[in-house]
Amino acid sequence: MSDIDSPAVARHRVRLALRSAREAKRLTQGQVAQAMEWSLSKVMRIEKGEVNVAPNDMKALLDFLEIKDPARVQHLTDAARASRQERRTTDPADREHFTPAMIELHQFEAAATTIRVFQNLFIPGILQTRAYATALFNSSNGGVDDPEAIAARIDSRQRRRRELLGGSDPKTYLVVLEESVLMRPIGGTAVWADQLEDLMRTVAETPLQVRILPFLDSARMLASYSPFFLTDLDERSVLVYRETGRHDEVTYVQEEVDRHRGVFEEFWANALDDDATANRIAAAIAALHASGI
């Protein structure tokens, strides 16, 4: 476990470690529940990451699962303790202005090795200029009406952009934009041109990779997919965050995560390559300038 694991990431590491240890012993969840004198639902919720494990319970459980290595016991006990620090480590403003799913996404982004994003509506949040983001929220398409919450979310996007794409440990950040995103000049012509120019600069100056999925290639695949984010820990996709209008959610169910990873890879393979994408965006910018902005 990393010394800087957030509560959400620590909880994820705990649930995977406990499930793996149980399966290695060929025990059912019911057998664990009976031995620990817990309810079956408690064991199930721990392995789903829905509840935390108290450090004392963790020590007893590790003993039952015959995990004896002192270093591993210490790491998992520390992770159990860290997973219970949500209220202490989460900024009160974040708890007020962000959904629980967003807070988990932000925590996983900070620990991720790779982040994958699919968007078929707008420029993704951390790649938005302040003017574009403001226009998006003001149009009500952002799904938030409170001015204080809007300001907090825009500030967060700017901060996350610096943290994820800059600094000493930038993330691998892969984005697929469905071509219709280029047809939505949010904020008007000047704001939109500035947004596209900023996107091009960010691609040139950071590890960000953006590819455009053309209309013809996307039509068959887009029917059941809204925007989503995938985060990798230790080289494996472990979380998917999905947005649908005013609703958002995260899931760690590996089948769902793997399904979205497969969809992303298909989108990526069918998208324009880096050079063709750059040319497509440059053409859109040229057209905007030709219109007299």
Side-chain angles (χ1 to χ4, degrees):
M1 187 189 75
S2 167
D3 290 338
I4 59 172
D5 274 348
S6 66
V9 174
R11 184 165 52 248
H12 178 74
R13 294 191 192 280
V14 165
R15 76 179 191 85
L16 287 186
L18 294 181
R19 186 181 67 186
S20 177
R22 174 182 62 78
E23 291 175 345
K25 299 290 293 182
R26 298 186 178 181
L27 296 170
T28 66
Q29 291 175 325
Q31 289 172 316
V32 172
Q34 183 177 21
M36 298 299 297
E37 298 184 348
W38 294 345
S39 67
L40 175 59
S41 65
K42 178 176 178 177
V43 176
M44 294 174 67
R45 293 176 70 196
I46 287 171
E47 291 195 5
K48 288 180 180 179
E50 295 176 353
V51 298
N52 298 317
V53 187
N56 287 339
D57 284 346
M58 172 63 78
K59 290 177 182 177
L61 182 54
L62 294 178
D63 185 62
F64 171 68
L65 295 172
E66 297 183 348
I67 297 177
K68 306 293 187 181
D69 177 69
R72 190 177 183 203
V73 170
Q74 186 65 53
H75 284 171
L76 289 173
T77 303
D78 288 346
R81 188 173 292 108
S83 71
R84 297 166 63 85
Q85 302 302 308
E86 199 82 49
R87 299 293 295 183
R88 298 181 187 178
T89 58
T90 302
D91 189 309
D94 286 351
R95 293 198 299 270
E96 181 179 359
H97 299 306
F98 296 87
T99 67
M102 285 181 181
I103 291 172
E104 289 205 41
L105 172 65
H106 297 172
Q107 291 183 8
F108 270 81
E109 283 180 333
T113 53
T114 300
I115 301 165
R116 294 173 174 82
V117 181
F118 166 67
Q119 250 293 357
N120 59 354
L121 298 173
F122 312 112
I123 299 296
I126 75 162
L127 303 180
Q128 294 173 5
T129 64
R130 185 172 290 274
Y132 178 92
T134 300
L136 180 60
F137 279 113
N138 288 341
S139 72
S140 297
N141 289 322
V144 179
D145 302 317
D146 177 58
E148 188 175 343
I150 290 173
R153 292 196 181 189
I154 292 175
D155 287 344
S156 171
R157 292 175 180 186
Q158 300 290 312
R159 182 178 67 253
R160 287 163 54 220
R161 175 176 179 159
R162 292 192 298 270
E163 293 171 350
L164 298 177
L165 296 178
S168 60
D169 183 29
K171 311 296 181 182
T172 299
Y173 207 99
L174 310 177
V175 177
V176 172
L177 296 178
E178 201 267 336
E179 191 171 9
S180 64
V181 172
L182 298 183
M183 304 295 108
R184 298 188 183 93
I186 303 298
T189 304
V191 168
W192 182 227
D194 182 62
Q195 172 64 76
L196 292 181
E197 289 170 348
D198 183 78
L199 181 62
M200 292 282 280
R201 285 193 297 271
T202 305
V203 169
E205 297 172 359
T206 73
L208 172 69
Q209 286 184 265
V210 175
R211 293 188 175 181
I212 293 174
L213 185 65
F215 287 121
L216 293 179
D217 289 329
S218 63
R220 176 181 60 84
M221 299 181 284
L222 289 177
S224 60
Y225 285 95
S226 56
F228 63 83
F229 293 68
L230 286 162
T231 60
D232 288 10
L233 290 181
D234 305 322
E235 309 306 323
R236 182 178 184 181
S237 295
V238 296
L239 172 146
V240 59
Y241 169 87
R242 294 179 289 216
E243 296 177 298
T244 54
R246 290 178 178 263
H247 175 70
D248 65 343
E249 64 178 357
V250 294
T251 182
Y252 305 97
V253 176
Q254 200 60 50
E255 287 184 1
E256 276 296 291
V257 174
D258 291 344
R259 183 169 68 87
H260 281 78
R261 175 65 180 268
V263 168
F264 184 89
E265 296 297 349
E266 185 174 4
F267 286 169
W268 188 261
N270 284 277
L272 301 178
D273 64 21
D274 294 348
D275 289 341
T277 291
N279 290 338
R280 178 68 181 83
I281 297 174
I285 295 170
L288 289 168
H289 284 292
S291 70
I293 62 170

